[in-house]
Amino acid sequence: MSSLQAALAASEKLIDTEVGVSNWILVDQKMIDDFAKTTHDVQWIHVDPARAKAETPFGGSIAHGFLTLSLASRFAYDCFGMLPGQTMGINYGMNKLRFLKPVVAGSRLRGRFTLKRVSAKSETQLLRENRLTIEIEGEEKPALIADWLGMAVFED
């Protein structure tokens, strides 16, 4: 049995189960400001805490939705290692993504992964779809939910 076939068989047993929960990470104003500078998205609800506190219902500035999403890779590093025989992992995209709750500066986030589907795309590529829920500490509603596709590439 090849490494890919073994990974597929093992993964199929995990469908609809939680496969990882990351560590918490602080999203502070500096992270938000750095992201705004990098992406040239300097809308005041992100970079002007005093105005955001005075003029929005959020109580302060909020993180960009795409900043929250960009932390998905960090959360995945906490939860997943390389599979036996895997040479690399590739971000393959999203099937569904919804931003459900703004992330106020000073919040802590973590990622929770549930395996939804797995299939062999070729003799060397295993496609996995995980439901990613990015939770906000102390909040019932998550920041976002996404169906994230990742490709595990194996040796021939």
Side-chain angles (χ1 to χ4, degrees):
M1 178 182 287
S2 72
S3 296
L4 183 139
Q5 290 168 330
L8 177 60
S11 296
E12 286 174 334
K13 295 176 184 174
L14 298 175
I15 290 175
D16 292 328
T17 62
E18 186 173 272
V19 293
V21 178
S22 75
N23 296 316
W24 292 102
I25 187 166
L26 175 67
V27 178
D28 60 11
Q29 190 61 51
K30 181 180 181 335
M31 181 187 288
I32 294 168
D33 291 344
D34 289 346
F35 188 86
K37 185 176 181 180
T38 298
T39 62
H40 302 274
D41 181 353
V42 293
Q43 186 181 30
W44 63 268
I45 62 172
H46 305 303
V47 298
D48 188 338
R51 184 175 176 192
K53 183 175 182 176
E55 297 182 31
T56 73
F58 310 125
S61 59
I62 59 171
H64 306 71
F66 286 120
L67 166 55
T68 302
L69 177 61
S70 73
L71 294 172
S73 293
R74 173 67 176 95
F75 299 141
Y77 280 117
D78 285 350
C79 296
F80 304 109
M82 298 287 267
L83 299 167
Q86 182 180 350
T87 58
M88 73 178 110
I90 300 171
N91 181 359
Y92 199 69
M94 301 282 174
N95 274 345
K96 182 178 182 181
L97 169 64
R98 297 291 181 267
F99 297 101
L100 302 174
K101 185 168 182 60
V103 175
V104 177
S107 297
R108 290 189 344 144
L109 304 178
R110 73 175 173 191
R112 184 176 297 274
F113 297 87
T114 300
L115 184 63
K116 300 307 290 178
R117 287 184 248 320
V118 62
S119 62
K121 292 288 284 181
S122 74
E123 292 181 8
T124 60
Q125 297 177 330
L126 181 70
L127 182 64
R128 293 182 292 184
E129 181 178 353
N130 279 291
R131 168 66 50 92
L132 166 62
T133 303
I134 296 184
E135 301 173 327
I136 306 168
E137 187 175 41
E139 297 288 341
E140 188 172 323
K141 186 180 276 191
L144 70 80
I145 295 176
D147 291 338
W148 188 13
L149 301 170
M151 186 75 72
V153 180
F154 291 81
E155 298 172 346
D156 193 21

